[in-house]
């Protein structure tokens, strides 16, 4: 079953759950709408890899929003955004731990021959296809900076 089919099936299930599935339903509809919009804009059918990219983007937007909500003291919105992230994470592959990311970064540094923070672009180019959808880009970026600075 493709990811788009899974989203459709889960949406139907959430619709049947009425009140209990309201937030889940709205998050799934949001993702399906973003996927459909990309398909219309690109005039092509999106595969699972592209759908994962959409879901990752939505999760990142929620993480960024949480930071802003915390600054504004809006704990109610923080809780809602965290619940939405939890729903989105169900569709993403298992996230890498910090140690797993460090190991991949060290491999990418060795493969690209990077020696200083100036070579960060080479490392990121080598690394991002391996971690796409499996790790937060901001965390990966911080780890690369940390290891290149040593």
């Amino acid at each position: 079953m493709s990811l788009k089919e899974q989203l459709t099936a889960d949406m139907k299930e959430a619709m049947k759950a009425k009140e209990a599935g309201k937030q889940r339903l709205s998050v799934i509809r949001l993702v399906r709408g973003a996927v459909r919009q990309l398909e219309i804009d690109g005039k092509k059918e999106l595969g699972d890899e592209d759908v994962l990219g959409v879901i990752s983007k939505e999760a990142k937007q929620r993480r960024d929003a949480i930071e802003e909500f915390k600054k504004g003291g809006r704990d109610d919105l923080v809780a809602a955004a965290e619940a939405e992230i939890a729903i989105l994470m169900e569709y993403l592959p298992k996230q890498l731990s910090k140690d797993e990311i460090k190991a991949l970064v060290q491999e990418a540094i060795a493969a690209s021959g990077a020696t200083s923070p100036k070579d960060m672009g080479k490392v990121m180019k080598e690394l991002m296809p391996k971690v796409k959808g499996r790790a937060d880009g901001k965390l990966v970026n911080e780890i690369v900076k940390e290891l290149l600075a040593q």
Side-chain angles (χ1 to χ4, degrees):
M1 176 181 281
S2 77
L3 202 47
K4 282 193 329 186
E5 292 168 344
Q6 181 68 43
L7 284 166
T8 302
D10 289 351
M11 183 182 76
K12 289 176 185 174
E13 195 177 295
M15 289 168 91
K16 289 176 185 172
K18 301 263 189 237
E19 277 305 309
K22 242 182 185 162
Q23 186 173 27
R24 183 174 185 74
L25 178 61
S26 71
V27 171
I28 293 171
R29 279 184 171 159
L30 186 97
V31 170
R32 289 189 70 234
V35 168
R36 245 183 279 130
Q37 187 61 49
L38 267 178
E39 287 179 337
I40 290 168
D41 291 347
K43 294 181 173 80
K44 67 177 180 127
E45 188 83 12
L46 295 183
D48 279 355
E49 192 71 28
D50 300 318
V51 175
L52 277 176
V54 170
I55 296 170
S56 295
K57 181 181 172 189
E58 293 294 333
K60 181 184 182 322
Q61 287 175 347
R62 301 298 179 296
R63 283 189 210 101
D64 294 344
I66 285 174
E67 289 177 25
E68 296 303 316
F69 293 151
K70 283 181 180 176
K71 288 178 188 173
R74 295 295 308 267
D75 295 333
D76 56 328
L77 296 177
V78 169
E82 286 174 344
E84 290 178 6
I85 289 173
I87 294 167
L88 292 169
M89 295 309 274
E90 294 173 21
Y91 297 99
L92 292 173
K94 180 185 168 290
Q95 298 295 292
L96 297 171
S97 70
K98 197 168 185 172
D99 292 333
E100 291 171 321
I101 295 171
K102 275 188 179 180
L104 287 171
V105 169
Q106 288 168 339
E107 287 175 21
I109 289 173
S112 64
T115 55
S116 72
K118 290 179 184 176
D119 298 326
M120 187 166 174
K122 290 180 189 175
V123 176
M124 293 301 279
K125 184 177 179 182
E126 177 83 24
L127 185 62
M128 287 315 285
K130 295 177 185 174
V131 299
K132 186 177 182 182
R134 296 173 39 208
D136 181 30
K138 189 184 269 187
L139 177 62
V140 172
N141 192 321
E142 289 171 7
I143 293 172
V144 171
K145 282 181 184 175
E146 176 187 318
L147 291 178
L148 284 177
Q150 293 177 352

